[in-house]
Structure formats: structure tokens, C-alpha cells
């Protein structure tokens, strides 16, 4: 078991992880750790050859050398959030009334304490330079490779990303796309809005880290644990948070800390984690 997972061996839920960090049980007292930079990243994209596009908005907080992030629905984060965060200590932000602020602060703290590295269970996966679509597809391959499923299996995809759906199709996997916004996929498939209701007809769950910020992650983790369903997360939000829950409903994580693949055409790095049979990482 790695040092990152052994430190959190008894952390079984997101709320418990948050409580232990607040208590200073996983590193330095968060009241002594101050956010030096707070910023939001807003973007809209439509890849060449794709018929639909999407928008992203992410709150990011810098603690020393680390950046923690939480995606939000575009337009829902008040401008005051950034001012609330800059210069504030992590302990205060872990009690902030806005869930995305709490997630970003927790992510920054854990990134600072246990950065993505082999000694903490991370396996680095390089992303080559390329167009926005090339990098999106490369990220999708790295994520979907974490699903150990035979062709014909069905995956619940929570947080619709067309490149992920495309990769699942290429591997002969069926899927149920799910997103709180609803709508349709690039291929005209209906996007369901109730993930828990759809999970019964799926063999595995592929879940965006954004679920941490909107409060839908814990019910999915609990369902996966109770029903012995693999749960793989793709995490720009909470990339340092979700590896702490490996073996407790989370079977694998593809972590992508800031800066994200869609921000730059140059090379980048993803970090993959897998739970072993004892609940650690490998």
C-alpha cells in the first residue's frame, strides 16, 4: 500500500475525508495554509468535425506549488467567490457555504500534501501535443482503459463527454449517457438525468469529478460499493481528492490537475490510479 492510501486507509467517504483534513489529521493544520491565488477559467469549445460544443467553468485555488480545482455549471458561481478565497486560509474555505469552494480548497490542500507521484500511487500517462480534438481523444483513451469490461457491457457515463462516448463505442461497449442538463449526445441519444435510476441496468460507472461539487458523487460511490459495480472517475475536479477513496467504492481514477488538456496545445500529463484487492493503489 502506498503512503497516500495508507494515510487515508480509514477514510471511507468524502465527508469523512473533509472532516479529517479540517482536523489536521492528514497533514499540516489547514488554518496555517493560505490560498495565494484564486481564479476562474471559462471556455467554450466546438472541435473540428463535431456537430455540438460545450462550455466549461472551473474555480481554481493555488496553495504554494499546488492548484486545486472544481468545475461548476457555467454562470452559477458568484463573482464574490474568487474574492472570498484569495488570501484566505484553507480551514475557513473548507467551511465555506459554496460546495465548489470547499471542493477546490480540499483539492488544493491534498495536492499540496500528496502530489501526483509514483510514491503516492500515481502512474503518469503523457499526453502528446495536438489539436483540441486529438488531445480530447487521447484523454478519453486513457480514461476508458481503466474499465475492465468485455465488449457488450453497459457503462453509465455521468458527465457526458463526446470523446468518452466515442471511445466506448470503439471498444464495443454500450453506455447510458447521464447529465443533470439532459439533452442529446453527438449521435442523437437521449441523455438521462437520474443517474441512480439508470445504474441498475449498467455494469460499471464512469463518473466525472464534477459530481463532487454538485453533491451527486456520494450516492454514486455508495451504490457502486453496495452493488459491487466498478466506479472509474475522470477528475479535473478533485484530482487529488478522489484517489483518497480508492477501494471504498472507487476502483480507478484518471486524475488531471490544472492546467487541463483543453487549455493548451502542448504536451501534458494525466495520472492514473487503480485500487488493488486490499483497497490500496497500484
Amino acid at each position: 500500500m502506498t503512503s497516500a492510501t495508507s494515510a487515508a486507509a480509514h477514510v471511507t467517504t468524502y465527508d469523512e475525508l473533509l472532516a479529517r483534513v479540517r482536523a489536521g489529521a492528514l497533514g499540516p493544520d489547514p488554518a496555517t495554509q493560505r490560498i495565494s491565488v484564486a481564479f476562474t477559467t471559462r471556455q467554450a469549445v466546438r472541435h473540428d468535425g463535431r456537430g455540438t460544443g460545450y462550455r466549461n467553468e472551473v474555480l481554481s485555488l493555488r496553495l504554494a506549488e499546488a492548484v486545486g480545482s472544481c468545475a461548476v455549471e457555467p454562470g452559477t458561481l458568484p463573482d464574490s467567490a474568487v474574492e472570498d478565497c484569495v488570501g484566505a486560509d484553507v480551514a475557513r474555505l473548507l467551511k465555506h457555504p459554496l460546495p465548489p469552494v470547499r471542493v477546490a480548497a480540499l483539492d488544493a490542500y491534498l495536492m499540496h500534501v500528496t502530489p501526483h507521484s509514483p510514491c503516492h500511487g500515481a502512474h503518469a500517462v503523457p499526453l502528446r501535443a495536438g489539436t483540441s480534438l486529438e488531445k480530447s481523444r487521447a484523454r478519453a483513451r486513457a480514461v476508458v482503459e481503466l474499465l475492465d469490461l468485455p465488449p457488450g457491457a453497459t457503462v453509465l457515463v455521468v458527465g457526458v463527454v463526446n470523446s468518452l462516448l466515442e471511445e466506448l463505442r470503439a471498444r464495443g461497449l454500450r453506455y447510458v449517457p447521464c447529465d443533470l442538463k439532459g439533452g442529446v449526445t453527438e449521435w442523437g441519444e437521449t441523455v438521462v438525468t437520474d443517474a441512480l435510476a439508470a445504474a441498475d441496468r449498467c455494469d460499471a460507472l464512469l463518473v466525472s469529478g464534477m459530481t463532487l461539487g454538485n453533491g451527486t458523487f456520494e450516492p454514486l460511490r455508495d451504490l457502486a460499493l453496495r452493488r459491487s459495480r466498478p466506479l472509474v472517475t475522470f477528475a479535473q475536479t478533485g484530482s487529488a481528492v478522489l484517489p483518497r477513496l480508492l477501494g471504498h467504492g472507487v476502483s480507478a481514477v484518471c486524475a488531471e490537475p490544472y492546467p487541463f488538456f483543453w487549455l493548451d496545445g502542448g504536451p501534458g500529463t494525466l495520472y492514473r490510479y487503480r485500487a488493488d484487492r486490499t483497497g490500496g493503489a497500484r
Side-chain angles (χ1 to χ4, degrees):
M1 187 178 289
T2 66
S3 60
T5 51
S6 60
H10 301 297
V11 174
T12 59
T13 70
Y14 170 78
D15 287 342
E16 185 181 354
L17 177 59
L18 185 62
R20 292 196 68 190
V21 170
R22 284 174 175 167
L26 299 182
D29 182 351
T32 67
Q33 308 298 300
R34 198 167 295 277
I35 299 299
S36 59
V37 181
F39 60 99
T40 58
T41 306
R42 300 177 182 178
Q43 64 104 4
V45 61
R46 178 170 291 184
H47 300 302
D48 285 345
R50 288 274 171 84
T52 58
Y54 59 90
R55 294 176 58 209
N56 283 322
E57 184 171 344
V58 183
L59 171 68
S60 296
L61 306 179
R62 182 162 183 174
L63 173 62
E65 77 298 335
V67 176
S69 297
C70 183
V72 299
E73 288 296 330
T76 61
L77 189 71
D79 291 339
S80 60
V82 169
E83 293 299 326
D84 286 348
C85 295
V86 68
D89 64 76
V90 172
R92 181 162 74 82
L93 296 183
L94 292 176
K95 299 179 181 179
H96 196 277
L98 293 176
V101 171
R102 298 197 297 269
V103 171
L106 180 63
D107 194 33
Y109 179 90
L110 292 174
M111 188 83 70
H112 176 55
V113 173
T114 48
H116 299 300
S117 65
C119 66
H120 297 139
H123 173 70
V125 179
L127 276 185
R128 293 182 180 178
T131 67
S132 61
L133 182 55
E134 288 169 343
K135 294 188 75 175
S136 178
R137 284 172 167 163
R139 196 276 294 256
R141 287 192 295 273
V143 171
V144 173
E145 284 172 356
L146 291 170
L147 289 167
D148 185 17
L149 296 171
T154 301
V155 181
L156 176 65
V157 182
V158 182
V160 173
V161 178
N162 284 322
S163 290
L164 288 176
L165 303 185
E166 181 182 58
E167 184 65 21
L168 291 170
R169 293 161 71 100
R171 293 171 181 266
L173 295 170
R174 297 179 294 182
Y175 55 80
V176 177
C178 181
D179 199 290
L180 291 176
K181 297 188 295 291
V184 297
T185 70
E186 178 78 14
W187 300 274
E189 301 147 329
T190 299
V191 176
V192 304
T193 58
D194 189 336
L196 295 178
D200 279 338
R201 51 193 168 110
C202 299
D203 303 297
L205 290 73
L206 185 59
V207 178
S208 167
M210 189 175 178
T211 55
L212 287 170
N214 64 25
T216 60
F217 172 75
E218 269 299 299
L220 292 167
R221 184 201 61 79
D222 181 65
L223 181 148
L225 187 62
R226 286 187 291 104
R227 302 187 185 177
S228 299
R229 306 278 173 84
L231 189 156
V232 173
T233 65
F234 51 103
Q236 293 177 343
T237 293
S239 78
V241 175
L242 288 166
R244 293 279 182 152
L245 297 173
L246 285 165
H248 299 287
V250 176
S251 54
V253 179
C254 185
E256 185 181 359
Y258 191 93
F260 313 125
F261 78 86
W262 38 264
L263 282 168
D264 183 78
T269 307
L270 305 173
Y271 301 92
R272 296 196 298 195
Y273 298 77
R274 296 178 187 265
D276 64 19
R277 294 179 180 177
T278 63
R282 61 179 176 82

